[in-house]
Amino acid sequence: MHPNEELIQKFYTAFQSKDGSTMATSYHSDAEFSDPVFKNLKGKEVGAMWLMLVERGQNLTVRFQNVKADDQKGSADWEADYSFSKTGRMVYNKIHAEFTFQDGKIKTHKDSFNLWKWAGMALGNPGTFLGWLPSLQSKIRKEAVTGLQMYMKRKKIS
């Protein structure tokens, strides 16, 4: 198994165990992360996001498969079931991840999933009927980033 493939395996195994610290240390210090909710996180924001998500992840279960990697890039498919903290509604999210690597760490990580579908599960009818609107998606992103900033301040991550 390629060392970067082992790194992805270690990352998702830590996610399954809600080990945010191991997840955070899997990233390069100049890492970049993006998904439909958290756009363009950099550096310590990336690890802090995972710490926050596993800490808040009630009923969180994670499954992963199709891990592939070489010297430059990698990918994986993963699924998560959890209760969305703001509404208590159950979410099942199916994600495709793309990675690049530097110095034995994850340098870039991009997760792709359907935000409209996620909004329907997380927010109920408002998300189902309005989740496609750029204004609602923007509100979801703004609330997520604000939550991350507050978390980092509370945990003294800078």
Side-chain angles (χ1 to χ4, degrees), residues 82-126:
Y82 58 94
S83 297
F84 182 56
S85 59
K86 284 196 172 223
T87 62
R89 297 178 58 84
M90 283 304 295
V91 172
Y92 163 72
N93 205 5
K94 193 170 181 174
I95 300 107
H96 178 72
E98 297 281 338
F99 303 92
T100 64
F101 308 98
Q102 184 177 329
D103 304 325
K105 302 276 189 174
I106 299 168
K107 174 67 172 168
T108 65
H109 179 172
K110 181 177 181 186
D111 279 350
S112 302
F113 61 88
N114 185 322
L115 183 54
W116 181 6
K117 191 173 183 179
W118 177 91
M121 289 180 279
L123 305 175
N125 285 337

Side-chain angles (χ1 to χ4, degrees), residues 46-57:
V46 178
M49 176 202 59
W50 293 115
L51 288 165
M52 178 183 76
L53 293 178
V54 298
E55 189 176 296
R56 293 182 180 174

Side-chain angles (χ1 to χ4, degrees), residues 3 9 15 27 36 38-39 48 54-55 65 72-73 80 91 96 147:
Q9 292 270 358
F15 198 3
Y27 287 96
F38 291 98
K39 297 264 187 190
V54 298
E55 189 176 296
Q65 60 188 357
Q72 280 83 39
K73 60 185 179 174
V91 172
H96 178 72

